[in-house]
Amino acid sequence: MSPKKIYVAVYERDDTDDAWNVHIEGLDGCQTYGRSLRQAQTRIREALAAWLDKDPDALVVHDQMPAALTAVAANVARARRDADLAGTKAQRQTIEAVRKLTRLGLSRRDAAELLGLSHQRVQQLLEAS
């Protein structure tokens, strides 16, 4: 069985018409537009299916957005990954701090006060570790 062909849908913003123009790379004339990205995505898949006389669900389409949009989205994705990693690190450090403070003789309430947590949260962290 041969691998499925991947079609590339190229998107361009038309600010004059407030729409997204989209065409399939390498298939002159296979194009459409949409007022939103979602509408343009749906329409180009329908247009490609009609162009090739195939079921739209059987086609593999890669969306190629303008570089400026891709860069913004990549920056946000990177920031979100960094935030997730920082959150995980903070959680590990909080658990370790709770353990250390209680081993040093602080009550759970005092450890909670020092760390800015509720005493119930300190209890949960101790029970989970």
Side-chain angles (χ1 to χ4, degrees):
M1 177 183 248
S2 64
K4 286 187 175 184
K5 178 167 174 46
I6 298 173
Y7 296 92
V8 178
V10 180
Y11 294 78
E12 296 170 357
R13 182 75 183 144
D14 183 345
D15 291 329
T16 305
D17 291 335
D18 191 29
W20 286 95
N21 294 323
V22 57
H23 68 274
I24 298 295
E25 195 172 77
L27 291 180
D28 292 338
C30 187
Q31 60 192 25
T32 189
Y33 78 99
R35 294 285 179 208
S36 68
L37 276 174
R38 184 174 302 249
Q39 185 180 51
Q41 288 171 324
T42 300
R43 286 181 174 177
I44 195 62
R45 282 160 175 75
E46 291 169 351
L48 179 60
W51 190 274
L52 300 173
D53 193 28
K54 292 190 177 182
D55 178 12
D57 295 331
L59 301 172
V60 179
V61 180
H62 170 73
D63 295 321
Q64 182 179 314
M65 299 296 168
L69 297 183
T70 304
V72 169
N75 286 340
V76 169
R78 192 170 24 262
R80 292 177 72 119
R81 277 192 308 275
D82 292 348
D84 286 344
L85 290 173
T88 300
K89 181 179 178 183
Q91 179 71 9
R92 282 195 310 264
Q93 289 178 334
T94 301
I95 292 168
E96 188 56 34
V98 165
R99 287 181 191 149
K100 284 181 182 180
L101 291 173
T102 55
R103 278 194 302 250
L104 290 171
L106 265 67
S107 70
R108 291 175 178 164
R109 286 186 185 272
D110 286 343
E113 181 70 27
L114 188 62
L115 297 174
L117 302 172
S118 70
H119 68 279
Q120 294 97 334
R121 182 65 182 141
V122 168
Q123 178 67 32
Q124 288 174 339
L125 294 173
L126 288 171
E127 288 175 359
S129 59

